[in-house]
Every structure is written in C-alpha cells, then in structure tokens.
Amino acid sequence: EAQVTQNPRYLITVTGKKLTVTCSQNMNHEYMSWYRQDPGLGLRQIYYSMNVEVTDKGDVPEGYKVSRKEKRNFPLILESPSPNQTSLYFCASSLFLAGGLETQYFGPGTRLLVL
Amino acid sequence: GQQVMQIPQYQHVQEGEDFTTYCNSSTTLSNIQWYKQRPGGHPVFLIQLVKSGEVKKQKRLTFQFGEAKKNSSLHITATQTTDVGTYFCAGGYILTGGGNKLTFGTGTQLKVEL
C-alpha cells in the first residue's frame, strides 16, 4: 500500500531537548516536504527536498533542520525545541515533473507539544 | 514571496445548500491543487488544475482556474454532512532554476448542519 509514515504520532517534550521526527515513503517519490499546521495559519512549508542530498528552505525554516540521505526518508530535526514550535507537523511526498509537482501524499501527522 | 489568500475562513451551511471557497494568488501560478482535510485527519489531494480557464468536475464538486492563473474556486452543490472538513488550495510556482514550490492557502472550514 502506497503510504507516508511518520513517527512518533504524538510527542511531549521540554524546551531544549533535541528531537527527531521521522518520515518515510514507499512510493519512490523524489520530492518530500515538511509542513507545520497552526490554527488560522493553514499549512506552512518548513523545508523541502527535490531529491537525495538536495534540500531547501520553505517559508518557516528557523529552528529546524532536515537531511535527505536516502530517497525514502526525510527526517525533521529540532535541535533545541522551543514552545513556539508546538504544532501539528505533516510530512508529504510527491513525484516531481518538469511542469510541477504531482499529487502530494501526506503522512498522518505528528502532534508536538513543547513545554 | 508568494502568497495565497483563501476566503472565507469559515462557512456554516444547512445540508443541501451550496458552498464556495475562493483562492487568490499575488503572482501567476503554474498550477493549483485542492485538498480536503477531515477533522483530526491529514490533507487529502482532490484535484490539480493546470490550464488557464480550466474547469473540472468531481460529482458535486466543481473546480475552476482563472484565465489569468491567479485565482481559483471550489464549488460544492447541495452539501452533505460528508463534506464537512477544511478545504485548502495550494498554488504551484515554478522557481528560478527549475524547482517547484507549493504555497497553501489558509483553508476554509466547512460545517454542515442537518
């Protein structure tokens, strides 16, 4: 079954404690992306990757890091989480075509609370 | 940077009434995608429009892409309780260097009353 998986689904942590949210897709997609969703603000892109070892900043990259060592995995790293990073996070993947992106498939989401 | 505005933010309708949400981009889009997110769920792709003036239908849903490729709308005819959720548009922009960026609107939350 084609899917995007994220772990963990729920996480409560404290300020400053490094954490990683994993994302994996089994559709051989080149393009992967991380979004955060906050009430009234919709989905805002944090980072995206157009292929292995190719990553770029989205609209709200501050406080986050990513890596793309393998095509299927795109982990999101919070080196020193702060309460303003409390949010719902989605990973997504897509085929990348010359004219633009194909359908984006979203993971189930990771709800993060930073105390 | 690119911005996509979406209105209204909320819409409360009686079952059987029609519903429309609108998206407007500050710059010309290469394409626009629409997603639906059920309460507690993740966004699910509905459709992509690419051509200027394009209109596509999926049962009771009608999607339009403006002639200038800067605006789009989603219209639902005769809403049902299964239509409840938040509808997002996402504007696609081709970047210098060939990359592609998707910018989401803020979404329209639809509630349907019996």
Side-chain angles (χ1 to χ4, degrees):
Chain A
E1 180 192 352
Q3 60 181 353
V4 179
T5 56
Q6 292 178 229
N7 281 292
R9 295 288 314 279
Y10 305 91
L11 180 60
I12 301 174
T13 190
V14 295
T15 299
K17 187 176 181 182
K18 180 180 178 179
L19 67 92
T20 299
V21 184
T22 64
C23 173
S24 183
Q25 52 95 3
N26 63 0
M27 295 167 279
N28 203 34
H29 286 165
E30 299 95 350
Y31 186 94
M32 296 185 75
S33 183
W34 276 102
Y35 297 89
R36 61 178 288 174
Q37 185 173 28
D38 302 289
L41 297 176
L43 288 150
R44 294 180 293 167
Q45 192 177 53
I46 302 170
Y47 269 94
Y48 65 96
S49 169
M50 288 168 55
N51 216 323
V52 176
E53 303 292 1
V54 181
T55 63
D56 210 345
K57 295 177 181 178
D59 296 314
V60 288
E62 293 78 21
Y64 304 95
K65 282 174 58 176
V66 293
S67 69
R68 187 92 182 271
K69 294 186 171 62
E70 307 164 279
K71 200 171 188 179
R72 61 183 292 125
N73 296 324
F74 190 44
L76 179 69
I77 303 152
L78 284 71
E79 293 270 3
S80 183
S82 61
N84 65 12
Q85 292 178 298
T86 292
S87 188
L88 176 58
Y89 291 87
F90 288 104
C91 179
S93 76
S94 172
L95 283 173
F96 180 72
L97 306 175
L101 296 177
E102 268 293 329
T103 307
Q104 273 202 118
Y105 293 86
F106 281 79
T110 295
R111 193 166 288 280
L112 172 65
L113 172 62
V114 183
L115 300 171
Chain B
Q2 298 91 355
Q3 284 191 322
V4 176
M5 307 301 293
Q6 189 172 355
I7 57 168
Q9 190 173 0
Y10 303 98
Q11 187 80 59
H12 211 151
V13 300
Q14 297 285 325
E15 190 177 42
E17 291 181 338
D18 292 356
F19 159 77
T20 305
T21 174
Y22 301 90
C23 273
N24 194 59
S25 168
S26 54
T27 56
T28 302
L29 300 166
S30 61
N31 58 73
I32 193 154
Q33 298 182 349
W34 284 92
Y35 292 79
K36 177 183 179 181
Q37 184 178 21
R38 293 183 187 276
H42 59 274
V44 174
F45 175 84
L46 294 176
I47 208 160
Q48 176 167 262
L49 304 173
V50 179
K51 299 176 186 174
S52 167
E54 190 169 12
V55 178
K56 286 189 177 180
K57 292 193 175 186
Q58 288 179 351
K59 297 182 181 177
R60 294 178 294 104
L61 278 61
T62 302
F63 304 84
Q64 292 189 334
F65 200 11
E67 294 289 341
K69 298 183 75 172
K70 294 178 79 171
N71 56 73
S72 181
S73 65
L74 157 59
H75 180 82
I76 302 178
T77 304
T79 53
Q80 300 175 358
T81 54
T82 53
D83 295 325
V84 164
T86 301
Y87 293 84
F88 291 98
C89 63
Y93 304 88
I94 302 291
L95 301 174
T96 308
N100 190 275
K101 181 175 171 55
L102 210 60
T103 297
F104 278 78
T106 49
T108 296
Q109 186 177 341
L110 172 64
K111 293 190 177 181
V112 181
E113 268 189 355
L114 290 171

